[in-house]
Amino acid sequence: MVFVAKMALRELRASWKRLLFFFACIAIGVASIVSLRSLTQNVRVAITGQAKALTAADIVISSNRPFSSDALAKIEQRLREYSVTERTNAVQTDTMVRPATGGRAVARMVEVRGVEPAFPFYGTVVLQSGGTYAHALLQNRGLLVRPELLAQLGLKVGDALILGGAPYTIRDVVLVEPGRRLGGFSFGPPVLMDRADLLKSGLLSTFGRGRYEIMLRVPERSVAPLLGRLRRDFRDFPVGARSYRTNEDNLSEDLMRAENYLSLIGLVIVVLGGIGVSSVIRVFVQQKLKAVAVLKCVGGTNPQILAIYLAQVIALGLAGSAVGVGLAGVVVAWAPAFVGNLPPGTVEIQYELTAAAVLQGLGIGVLVSLLFSLVPLLQVRHVKPSLLLRETSVARRRDWLEIAVIALVVSALAGLAIWQAASMRVGLAVTAGFIGVTIVLHLTGRLLVRTVRPLARSRWFPLRHAVLRVGRPGNQTRAILLAVGLGSFFMIGVRLLQTNLLDSFNVQVREDGPDMFLIDIQQDQVDGVVALFTSTTPSLPPPRPIPVLRARVAGVRGREVNMESYQEVRGRGSLGREYVITYRPTLEDNETLVEGDFWSATNDGQPQVSIEVGIHERFRIMVGDIMRFEVVGRTIEARVASIRRVNWRDPRRGGFMFVFRPGTFEQAPHAYIAPAKGPDDPSVRGRLQHDLVARYPNVSVIDVSEILETVRKVVRGVTLAISVVGAIVLFSGILILVGSVSMTKFQKVYEAAIFKTLGASTRSIAGMIVLEYGALGLLAGAVGSIGALALSWTVSRFALDIPWEPSPIVNLAGIAITGMLVCGIGVTSSLDVLRRKPLATLRAE
Amino acid sequence: MIRLQGVSKTVTSGDRPLTILHSTDLFIPSGQFVAVMGPSGSGKSTLLGLIAGLDAPTTGTIEIDGIDITTLGEDDLAKLRGEAIGFVFQFFHLIPSLTAYENVLVPMEIARRRDAPRRAAERLAEIGLEARGHHYPSQLSGGEQQRVAIARALSNDPPILLADEPTGNLDAANGRHIMELLGAIHARGVTLVLATHDVELAASADVRLAMRDGRILNAEFAEPRRRQWSS
Amino acid sequence: MVLGDSLTFGLGLPSDESYPAILQRKLDQAGYRYEVVNAGVSGETSAGGLRRLDWALGNDARILILALGGNDGLRGIPVESMKANLSAIIDGAKRRGAAVLLAGMEAPPNLGNAYTGEFRGAFREVAQQQAVPLLPFLLQGVAGVASLNQGDRIHPNREGARLVAEHVWRSLEPIVREDAARR
Ligand SMILES: Nc1ncnc2c1ncn2[C@@H]1O[C@H](COP(=O)(O)OP(=O)(O)O)[C@@H](O)[C@H]1O
Ligand SMILES: [Mg+2]
C-alpha cells in the first residue's frame, strides 16, 4: 500500500502536466454541478419562502362554512399531536361596498378578508404609503384596499366606505398581500379588514357565503404528515387543507421544471467532463505502456500497477474537484449579476455555496474520475513485458473482468444520473442515451473503416492516406468518434431541450397576451365593449370576443349518455357533463389538427363539430361519428369533422373541448367572453373597468394582470438562468472536445513529420488531416445529433412534461459545427508540424 | 539453474505462422556465464525473453531453479522476476518519470524490503553514480542509463542476470565499462546470460552459443568448464 | 318552459332529477299534457336570459317559469339592471301569449342588507308592475339547509330538488289548471 502511494506520487510529480486536462475536465464538471446545485438550492430556499409568503402560512385549513365544534375538536387534537401552537383564523367573503359620502354613488363588489393580529405568518403586506403593516391599522373599523377600488369609486385614503351597513375608514392601499389565493376566480378587488369586525357585521349570518380558514405555522418536517392526516380526517367533509407546497399554479410547476432541468444540466456537464477524462486516460495509458512493462519486468503485479494508476486518478479527481469547488464559489458570487433577483415584494435570494452541494461536488468529481478512467485503465493488464524487447502494439481483448467493470460503471453512472437529475426517468433516459450513442458510435466506427476501405486505392494522396489512417489498428478513430459523438449528443440535446423549455415558458409570458377576461358579454353588447377598449387603448390589439354556449352531450352514435351516479357527476368523469362550446371558422394558434378537416370545403348543411383529442381518447369518439348535443333546450345532431389538440398551457385563446362549424348557432342565444389586454397604467385600467361595468352591468371583469406580472418576472429570471447555463454547457463541452481531440495528436504529429521527411507537401498533409478529422467530426456529429433528438423528445415528453417541437436548425448547425470544430482542432494541433522542419519534431519524440 | 526442454516460439505475423525459435533444449548451471551470439534477427532476444518469462513459449518447459515457469500466471511470473531474475535491455528502459535512485528503488519496494533506501544508495555507489541519484533518465548519458539499469536489475540480488545486447547502443568506452561491471557481477556467483553479436564481449564467457534463424547452431566451451556443460 | 340558471339546469344532478324533470312527472301524473322544457343554463344572468328568450320560447310555449337572478346576485350586479331585464323577459313572454310564473331569488346575505333588501324587493316590484304571480323564493326551505344541498352550499341535492319541485308545483298547478281550461 505504501509502495502504491509512493509510486503514484512519483508518477504524478512527473506527469501532472500531461494530466492537466484531466484536472480541468473534473474542475469544470464539479464547478458546474456545485454552482448549479448551490444556486438551485438558494433559489429553492427563496421559492419556499415565496411560496410561504403566497400562502402566509405553512398549512391552511379551509371550509365554506363555519367549522363545526366536531371539526374544531378534531383539528385541535391533531394540532396537539403534531405540537403545533401557532394558529390564526381568517375569513373571506364577497360583499358590496359603496362610498359613505362623496365619490361615485355606486356599489362595488369586493372580496373582503378578515384577519387576526397574528396574520401573516410569512410574507409582508406591502403598503403604498411605504409604511409597515400592523394589525392596528385594521382595528377600530379600518380597511386596506386595492388601488383599483379607489379608482373605481373615486375615493382616496382616509375616506369612508360602507361595508355591511357600517362605515369604515380606508387606512392605506395594499400593493402586495400574502395569503390571497393567486388565480382565484373573484369578481371584485381584495379588501383587508379585522376578522372580528367582519364576523360582527352580520354579513356571515346563517346563509352568508364565506370562506373560513385556520392558518398554521408548522415545523417543516411536520408539514407533509400533518397535511396528509388532516386530509384523511376530513375526506368526507367540506373541509379542505393545503400547504404552501401544494402546487396549484403554473408558476411552481415551471420552477420545478427549471430545477429539474438545471440538475440535468449539471449532470450533463459532469458527464462531458467524464468523456474528457476518459480521453485523457486513454492517451495516458498509451504513453505509459513502457513504464508498465518495466514495472512488470521488475516484479510488479497487475493489481499493484492498477492501484498505482487508480491512486493517481483519485488524487487528481480530488484536487480537480477542490479547484472546481473554488470555481463554483466564484460563479456563485457572480450569480446575482447574471441571474438578477426576484421582483420586489418577493423574497430575496441568498446566493452562497451550500455545504451539501460542496460535498456532493467532491464526491461526484472523484466518482466520475474513477468511473471514466476504470475501463481504459484496465488495458494495463494486457501490457506484456516482452514489449520491452521489441515494439508491439497492445492487443485489446475483452475479458470477463472488463465486461463486469463496464457493467458496474454503467450502473453506477445510471445511479449517479438518477440521483443528480432527481428523477428516475431523466436518469434512465440520459444513461440509455449514453449507452445507445456509445454503441452506435462503435458500430459506426467499424462501418466507416469498412466502407471507406476501397477509397484507399484512390490516386489522390491526401484521400488515400486519410483512409489508411482511419483504418489503421490502434488509431484514435474510435476515441475521436466516441468523445465527439457523445459530446455533441449531450450538447445538441441540451440545446434542443432548452429551446423547447424556453418556448413553453415564453408562451406564458408574452407581453401582448391577455391580462383580463370579460365574461358574460351579450350579443348586442359586443360591439360596444370592443369600441370602449379601442377608444381607451387605441395602441393595443382590441379584445376578440369568443361566442360561448353551454351544451350537454346527450348521445353518441345512438348510444345515450346518462350519468349514472352522483360520483360521476361530481368527478366530471362522464361525457354527460355540461360543456362550454364555441364556433369559429379557423384553428387558433394554440391548436393543432390531429385528424379530419377544419373545415372541409363541402358543407352539406349538417352541423359539424371538432373535438379535442382528450375527448377522442377518453370516450373513443371518432371522426364521422354523430353526436347529439342539448343546447339551451334544443337537441342538435352534429357530425364529428375533426380532432384537434389544444395546448392547454398556452392561454391566449382559451381551450374548448367542442368547437362547431359556423352556421349552427348564430341564431341561438349566446354570450361572449373576451380575453383582453388592458392598459398597463393602473389608473387608466381602473377607469376602463369602471366604465365597462357602469355601461354594461352584466359584464364581469376578471383581472389577472398582477398574477401574470409575478409569473413573468420569475419566468424571466429563470429563462435567463437557463440560457446562461446552456451557454456554460456549450462552452465547457467545446473546451472538453477540443482537449479530447487534440490529445490524439501525439501519434499523428509524428507520422506527419515522417511524411514530410519523405517529401509530402504541407498542403497534401493538411488535406489529409482535414479529410480525416472532417469526416470523423461530421459522422460523430450526425450520430450525436440523432441521439440528441431522441433524448430531448424523451425528456420533454416524460420528465419535464412540456410539448416538444423538432428544431432542425439546431440539429443541422450542431452537425456542421461539430465537423468544422473537429477539423479545425485537427489542423491547428498539427500546425506546428506543418510549419516546423520535420527534424525538429522527430528529435522531440 | 536454468533448464529449457523442447522450447519453441511461433508467432503469427499477418496470416502466416512464423517460427522464430525452433525446439531448443538448454541447461545452464548456476554461476555460469553464457554468451548468446548471432546476427540481428537470429532469435537472441526471443530466447532471453522466454527465459525471463517476459513472453510465453509455444511449446516446451522452462525451469528456473526447479520451478517450471510456464505453469505460472502473470502475477506469479512477475514476482519470480522481481526476486530471481534481473534483466538488462539494449534500450535501457528506465522509467522516465522516476529518478535514477527511484528506478533502482522500485523493485525493492515491490519486494517489500525494509532496507530498500539504504540498499538502493549502495547499488548506486557500486555503479559509481551515487552523486547522480536525483537525476532523471533524460538527464543521464546512455552509458550512465545502462549502469542504472544494471543496478536496477541487481537490486534484489537475483541469482540470474539476463542482458540483451547491453552495449549495443553505447560507444566502445562505455561498452567496456558496462562489461567490466557485468564481469564483476558474474564473479560474485551470479548466473549471467548475455546476448551480443560482439565476439570480443563474448570472449570471457564460459559458454558461447551461436544462433541463426531461430536455432542454436553450436556451443563453444571455454576450457576449464567444459565438463560442466551438457546438452 | 323553465328559463333559469344552474339551479334549473340541475347542476351536479343527473338530468332526470332536476326540478323541471320532476315537474314533468307531476304534470304527467296529474293528467296534464304539457312538455316541460328545461332551458336552464349554468351561470346565466338575467341579461343572458333576456337575449335568449326568443330561441328558448319558440312559438308554442304556454307557460314560462322565470327563475333567473341568482347569478346576478352572486356577482353583485346592480339591481336596477336586473329588474329591467326581468321586466323585458316578461314582456316578451306576454307578447307570445305565454303565462308567466316569476320565481324570486335571494342574494346571499354577505352582500349586505342594503343590497339583499333591494334585491328581494326587485322581484316583488316586477311582479306587481307586470301583474304576474310571484313565487317569493325559489329555494324556500331548501337554501341554507345542509342536508338538502350539495357541498358547494348553492345547489340543491336530489332531496332538495324534490322539495323545490313541490314548492314550485304549488304555485304552478293553478296556472296550469287555468291554462288547460282555456284551451
Ligand atoms: N511478435 C513478432 N511478430 C513477428 N515477428 C517477430 C515477433 N517477434 C520476433 N519476431 C521476429 O523474430 C526474429 C527474431 O527476433 P529477435 O529475437 O528480436 O532477434 P535478435 O534479438 O537476435 O535480433 C526476427 O526476425 C523478428 O522479426
Ligand atoms: Mg535483439
Side-chain angles (χ1 to χ4, degrees), chain A residues 720-733:
Chain A
L720 186 63
I722 286 174
S723 308
V724 168
V725 165
I728 293 176
V729 172
L730 218 59
F731 179 73
S732 47

Side-chain angles (χ1 to χ4, degrees), chain A residues 599-670:
Chain A
W599 303 100
S600 59
T602 57
N603 185 4
D604 53 10
Q606 182 178 26
Q608 293 177 15
V609 65
S610 168
I611 62 174
E612 214 274 331
V613 73
I615 294 280
H616 159 70
E617 283 165 4
R618 282 226 322 275
F619 304 109
R620 305 180 179 253
I621 299 174
M622 313 292 169
V623 169
D625 282 354
I626 304 292
M627 298 188 72
R628 283 195 296 115
F629 291 88
E630 272 171 18
V631 186
V632 277
R634 292 199 185 172
T635 302
I636 283 166
E637 293 210 324
R639 187 167 54 79
V640 176
S642 64
I643 300 172
R644 285 162 306 125
R645 182 183 301 283
V646 175
N647 174 10
W648 298 102
R649 292 172 58 79
D650 180 348
R652 267 173 292 170
R653 300 291 294 169
F656 291 89
M657 289 293 183
F658 299 100
V659 177
F660 283 79
R661 182 176 190 141
T664 310
F665 293 116
E666 275 78 348
Q667 301 314 312
H670 50 276

Side-chain angles (χ1 to χ4, degrees), chain A residues 296-320:
Chain A
K296 286 190 174 180
C297 186
V298 299
T301 58
N302 275 325
Q304 276 174 327
I305 297 169
L306 265 180
I308 291 170
Y309 289 105
L310 282 179
Q312 294 182 53
V313 162
I314 292 175
L316 274 180
L318 209 55

Side-chain angles (χ1 to χ4, degrees), chain B residues 45 90 164-165:
Chain B
S45 299
Q90 179 179 358
D164 187 10
E165 301 196 39

